[in-house]
Amino acid sequence: MPRAKVLKFNLDTIEKEKLRIAVETLKMGGLVAFPTETVYGLGADAMNSDAVRKVFDVKGRPSSNPLIVHVASLQDVEKFVTHIPEKAIMLAERFWPGPLTLVMFKKPEVPSIITAGLSTVALRVPAHPITIELLKEFKGGIVGPSANISGKPSPTSADHVIEDLGDKIDVIIDTGPTRIGIESTVLDVTVEPPIILRLGGLSKEEIENCIGEVNFSDDEKLLKRSPGTNFRHYSPNARVIIFSKNNEYEFLAFLKKYRAEGKKIGVIMHSNFSERMQNNEFFVAINPSVEDIARNIFNALRELDKKGVDVILVEGVEEVGLGASVMDRLKKAAQLK
Ligand code: TXA
Ligand code: MG
């Protein structure tokens, strides 16, 4: 396939003519990568099974890993689910548009290829002005897994999408880097109390403030409920090693070990250590706020991969709020979970 057509938008101007190209492409069963507040998604018409199949093919995604359907509003959810539980309504009213995906019982007409044969479907309203307009103009649901090759770090810019899928899809909507930088939190509201299947842009604390207690699933149940959590994820080619936040001693020990092994070492850190290695080309410094770390972490992993490092030493964060979601991604990248 020729290279994807890149449509550049400013966040504050909706250029109808460009948007029309994206809408037509989706209507014809094509693939359109689109921005959200979390990461870029790989879009296809949710009601077109052939188009959805192409999404799995180009990503190299196992057919047992279900997709999220993006819609413009809570009203549009009704087309996909048998009923909307009370807690889902409370959460949607508080957090949509936003980085929360809700799993509910699906209507029979939702193609089973989307849901990998499960009786549930995952839905979310993304907080992104251009993509909301796309959804409104398209007048339907758009499936959207992260627009990366399966197993790679999720794309937080159009360049990342081009790197992974530039010659395999039709259109890329480019609005620059994404605001949050890690994926949405996936919450199953078909059970009581609801279960977090994937931590992401919305923290457990924020969800519990809205609807009371939620659980994490134990590993075995999680696998049944959300097959996606089973697969290798967020992995750069380099080996990822996490060192504890603010622990210069541990950082230096890892540095010494991998230098002795002759490894090409990349570093991602946010603390101000004495040996900051600023002059080292494999050094990525991120501002210490957890929001900045979330926003930049996937890009940092990709950048170091491009430089061909063997090992990436990455500084951990405190596992509270958004920090818990960041650590989830880092542990998966380091293959610790
Ligand atoms: O922020 C996001 O969620 C991004 C943007 C593009 O919206 N999308 C995204 O999609 O991260 P993806 O496919 O990379 O991750 C979707 C996750 C997977 O872990 C999948 O297993 C889970 O949601 N999932 C989808 N449908 C499900 C269902 N019916 N039941 C349980 N888990 C489901
Ligand atoms: Mg993904």
Side-chain angles (χ1 to χ4, degrees), residues 4-18:
K5 190 177 185 66
V6 178
L7 305 172
K8 277 192 200 285
F9 285 80
N10 290 324
L11 284 177
D12 50 3
T13 5
I14 293 159
E15 294 172 76
K16 290 273 180 194
E17 192 48 36
K18 283 188 190 167

Side-chain angles (χ1 to χ4, degrees), residues 11 45 63 65 84 94 108 129 160 180 187 209 245 284 298 316:
L11 284 177
D45 178 356
S63 59
N65 189 3
I84 308 179
R94 172 89 72 94
H160 297 163
I180 295 179
L187 184 73
N209 275 336
K245 176 185 158 79
V284 181
F298 286 144

Side-chain angles (χ1 to χ4, degrees), residues 37-38 87-88 90-102 124-125 179-187 196-211 214 216 294 320-326 328-329:
E37 77 282 32
T38 59
K87 285 185 180 174
M90 289 164 71
L91 288 164
E93 282 175 352
R94 172 89 72 94
F95 297 114
W96 278 358
L100 173 67
T101 296
L102 295 172
R124 114 172 169 94
V125 178
R179 177 164 59 80
I180 295 179
I182 56 175
E183 306 84 341
S184 63
T185 296
V186 181
L187 184 73
I196 293 180
L197 300 177
R198 177 182 73 185
L199 262 183
L202 193 68
S203 69
K204 179 170 191 260
E205 293 86 338
E206 287 169 294
I207 293 173
E208 289 190 326
N209 275 336
C210 178
I211 56 161
V214 295
F216 282 111
V320 292
L322 189 60
S325 311
V326 170
D328 170 83
R329 303 303 186 271

Side-chain angles (χ1 to χ4, degrees), residues 38 61 65 68 70 120 124 144-146 183-184 198 225-226 228:
T38 59
R61 181 177 178 112
N65 189 3
I68 297 173
H70 296 74
T120 55
R124 114 172 169 94
S146 48
E183 306 84 341
S184 63
R198 177 182 73 185
R225 285 183 180 282
S226 195

